[in-house]
Amino acid sequence: MNYKYPSPDPQLYKALIASYFRCLENKPHVKKTSFHLTFERTIHELALDIQNRTYHPGLSNIFVVTHPKPREVIAANLRDRIVHHYIYDYMAPYWERRFVPNSYACRTGKGPLKASEDLRLFIRRHNQHRGAPLFYLQLDVQNFFPSIDLNILYGLVAKHLENEHYLWLCKTVIFHRATTRGNFKLTSPKALWERLPRYKSLFAAATDKGLPIGNLTSQFFANVYMNQLDQFIAHRLKGRFLFWQRYVDDVLFLGEDVEKLKSIVPQVQEFLGRELKMTLNVKKTQLQPLSRGLDHLGYWHKPDHQLVRQRVVSNCKVRVAAYRKEGKGPVDAKAVCSALNSYMGYFRQAASRKLRKHLADEVVSAEIFAGKIMTNAAATKLLPVKDPAVLAARATKEKALRAEFCESFIGGADDGARTRLMHKYLRRWRSMSDILEAAEDHFRDSPASHADVPPSKNRCRSRRESVEVFL
């Protein structure tokens, strides 16, 4: 940087740099845009904008997804996503101590799989110790994200946030309207927009309502907003249920007394309307015995087992059928295995051994995948078959590396050269035991090991010990 260029607060700049790299986590294929090529200068300017309170969110990408149902997604650009992570990193530790453990959305160590696991564990323990039939009550908030009142949300944030710097930044993000002309670009065709119900779009929401689906801050602020309901349930409704959990706007109660579960509905409805200005979706309110099955977070829960939701199975079969079609060009076996193994991992959480074996057999038996994909012994994972020529070339290279290591590292190189070689081969093999094994094999077969009176085994052991001492 030019020394005349103004410098922001070093702590702010370092925090934004950390947020930038957090945005790139789990994204191995990052496009080399101008932002990534000059990210230091760009983040330097972003830090100055935040410090001088001249920051304004940029252009958002708005599109429609159809899976599992039509939904509007508003994705912020990378510059704004860095700010979102910067806000989240500061506020999350404080709010994590105030969230109830029954909230599972957008929290470290939580998620839909953890929620399903805790639900399954409670049902199993209840069957072992009580045995009485269970009933479940499912509640759903109507049109959740577009109905969030921004003034109430900002009031909740301001009540707990004393730092004026972060409070101004939160206010900027909360009240930014991505659907205002000039703040967005549409990337989905018109046919997809026609499939989206108008009430699910932020374009139809009032100016003081609605958070965009697709941003980290939206998920976090949704938890802050619904924490009011969580506290109400935990402290005012206790004793009317045996178990409860919330995932975003879906609330689940389990209990033995049907009348107590029924009494929950009007009280939750009254609290939502009074405190959060929301309503329950009456069509999705269900009170049923657990013996009929509970469709919750992708699984079908029964008193004694858990199955995969039929819609997820159908989606997987559609994906398999699409891969089996010929005329699609060369097959990327690694990409196919990666996509289908995500379903396999999801299915493993339920009673699905026959289902997984059936899907694996369908893929392996397909003519287009012949000799390119195989399954492991338990038929729970798909593996790409590697080309024998590639494996032979790799074995030859490994053999040459072992010989070079034994001759150079153990054959009399100085300590500096040995250290460099050690780093090189540890990066290559990733296993110190493999290096020691190579040294032992080399000295066992070398002519020098047979020249002395002691047996070669002792000589190999002494050589191995010398390598271990150096390491």
Side-chain angles (χ1 to χ4, degrees):
M1 290 291 182
N2 191 306
Y3 72 94
K4 295 182 180 180
Y5 200 84
S7 298
D9 178 24
Q11 297 299 325
L12 171 61
Y13 179 74
K14 289 169 62 176
L16 290 175
I17 287 288
S19 299
Y20 165 72
F21 283 107
R22 199 164 293 110
C23 287
L24 303 184
E25 287 180 356
N26 302 321
K27 295 180 177 63
H29 306 292
V30 178
K31 294 182 180 179
K32 298 302 181 182
T33 61
S34 58
F35 190 104
H36 298 293
L37 297 176
T38 60
F39 73 92
E40 296 98 338
R41 176 177 290 275
T42 308
I43 295 177
H44 193 280
E45 295 172 354
L46 175 60
L48 286 174
D49 288 342
I50 294 176
Q51 183 173 306
N52 299 330
R53 298 197 176 183
T54 58
Y55 164 76
H56 296 285
L59 219 61
S60 297
N61 181 24
I62 304 182
F63 56 94
V64 176
V65 296
T66 57
H67 178 76
K69 55 185 177 182
R71 193 185 300 274
E72 177 187 76
V73 178
I74 302 178
N77 56 39
L78 180 57
R79 182 173 179 267
D80 295 333
R81 293 205 304 272
I82 294 173
V83 178
H84 296 169
H85 277 271
Y86 174 67
I87 295 173
Y88 175 80
D89 293 340
Y90 178 80
M91 297 182 62
Y94 174 87
W95 280 98
E96 277 294 328
R97 298 192 297 269
R98 284 153 181 81
F99 290 153
V100 298
N102 306 76
S103 172
Y104 288 85
C106 191
R107 296 180 63 189
T108 304
K110 299 288 186 175
L113 290 181
K114 176 63 176 175
S116 298
E117 179 183 347
D118 289 350
L119 174 60
R120 184 168 64 249
L121 182 62
F122 167 77
I123 296 174
R124 185 186 303 123
R125 288 178 176 175
H126 180 272
N127 291 338
Q128 291 175 351
H129 299 289
R130 297 173 69 98
L134 281 172
F135 296 84
Y136 70 85
L137 171 66
Q138 277 184 313
L139 303 179
D140 182 83
V141 179
Q142 187 170 8
N143 205 21
F144 176 63
F145 276 98
S147 300
I148 293 177
D149 191 290
L150 302 183
N151 294 306
I152 295 177
L153 173 60
Y154 179 71
L156 294 173
V157 172
K159 181 180 178 181
H160 295 267
L161 188 59
E162 297 179 354
N163 191 312
E164 293 293 333
H165 167 75
Y166 283 95
L167 186 60
W168 170 82
L169 206 53
C170 287
K171 185 177 182 180
T172 303
V173 172
I174 289 174
F175 289 100
H176 172 68
R177 299 299 294 181
T179 53
T180 303
R181 184 179 296 275
N183 290 343
F184 65 89
K185 58 178 180 179
L186 303 178
T187 56
S188 293
K190 185 178 179 180
L192 290 181
W193 286 102
E194 293 175 350
R195 296 175 57 182
L196 179 71
R198 180 170 175 77
Y199 67 89
K200 286 186 173 293
S201 175
L202 208 59
F203 286 96
T207 55
D208 61 342
K209 285 199 172 186
L211 284 178
I213 299 176
N215 295 335
L216 174 64
T217 49
S218 298
Q219 301 176 59
F220 174 71
F221 286 143
N223 274 343
V224 174
Y225 198 78
M226 293 296 285
N227 186 55
Q228 300 295 105
L229 177 62
D230 295 341
Q231 299 296 337
F232 174 77
I233 293 173
H235 296 96
R236 301 291 298 276
L237 299 182
K238 59 183 179 180
R240 306 188 184 194
F241 51 83
L242 299 177
F243 176 86
W244 77 282
Q245 61 181 206
R246 179 184 65 83
Y247 189 86
V248 192
D249 60 334
D250 295 325
V251 189
L252 173 69
F253 298 92
L254 267 71
E256 299 175 354
D257 194 323
V258 177
E259 295 302 323
K260 288 183 178 180
L261 291 177
K262 282 183 180 179
S263 67
I264 293 175
V265 180
Q267 295 207 25
V268 171
Q269 178 72 281
E270 191 271 336
F271 178 84
L272 286 175
R274 185 182 73 250
E275 299 292 336
L276 302 180
K277 296 184 180 180
M278 288 182 163
T279 60
L280 289 177
N281 191 336
V282 181
K283 294 181 179 179
K284 293 186 178 180
T285 300
Q286 293 189 20
L287 178 57
Q288 299 287 342
L290 186 63
S291 58
R292 294 187 181 180
L294 166 61
D295 187 1
H296 185 59
L297 298 180
Y299 294 102
W300 188 257
H301 299 268
K302 300 283 281 186
D304 55 349
H305 65 281
Q306 176 177 285
L307 301 174
V308 182
R309 179 185 285 173
Q310 188 59 41
R311 186 178 67 188
V312 180
V313 177
S314 300
N315 293 336
C316 182
K317 290 182 177 180
V318 169
R319 180 72 67 89
V320 172
Y323 282 136
R324 293 185 62 176
K325 290 182 179 179
E326 298 185 10
K328 297 286 185 179
V331 177
D332 188 352
K334 187 176 180 180
V336 173
C337 292
S338 178
L340 295 182
N341 282 337
S342 62
Y343 281 102
M344 292 291 190
Y346 189 79
F347 293 163
R348 273 200 298 270
Q349 309 300 321
S352 59
R353 184 176 60 85
K354 291 184 178 180
L355 172 64
R356 284 181 277 122
K357 189 175 186 311
H358 172 71
L359 292 174
D361 291 342
E362 275 195 1
V363 175
V364 174
S365 62
E367 184 178 351
I368 192 173
F369 298 136
K372 297 181 179 180
I373 295 179
M374 64 179 183
T375 63
N376 61 352
T380 59
K381 190 175 183 180
L382 298 173
L383 303 170
V385 177
K386 297 181 179 179
D387 189 357
V390 175
L391 295 177
R394 183 176 297 174
T396 304
K397 190 174 182 179
E398 291 288 349
K399 186 177 180 180
L401 282 171
R402 283 172 177 260
E404 182 185 357
F405 167 75
C406 296
E407 295 295 337
S408 303
F409 184 82
I410 307 176
D414 57 16
D415 289 346
R418 287 183 175 186
T419 302
R420 290 191 295 273
L421 286 168
M422 178 58 63
H423 287 303
K424 174 182 177 181
Y425 294 115
L426 283 178
R427 285 196 302 269
R428 174 66 185 174
W429 287 332
R430 300 176 182 271
S431 172
M432 201 171 294
S433 61
D434 194 6
I435 292 178
L436 296 174
E437 215 176 287
E440 186 174 352
D441 292 343
H442 173 76
F443 283 104
R444 181 184 294 114
D445 299 333
S446 63
S449 64
H450 302 281
D452 299 332
V453 176
S456 60
K457 183 176 181 181
N458 295 336
R459 173 61 59 87
C460 293
R461 183 182 295 113
S462 64
R463 293 288 188 177
R464 184 183 180 95
E465 290 174 354
S466 66
V467 176
E468 290 178 344
V469 169
F470 178 80
L471 295 175

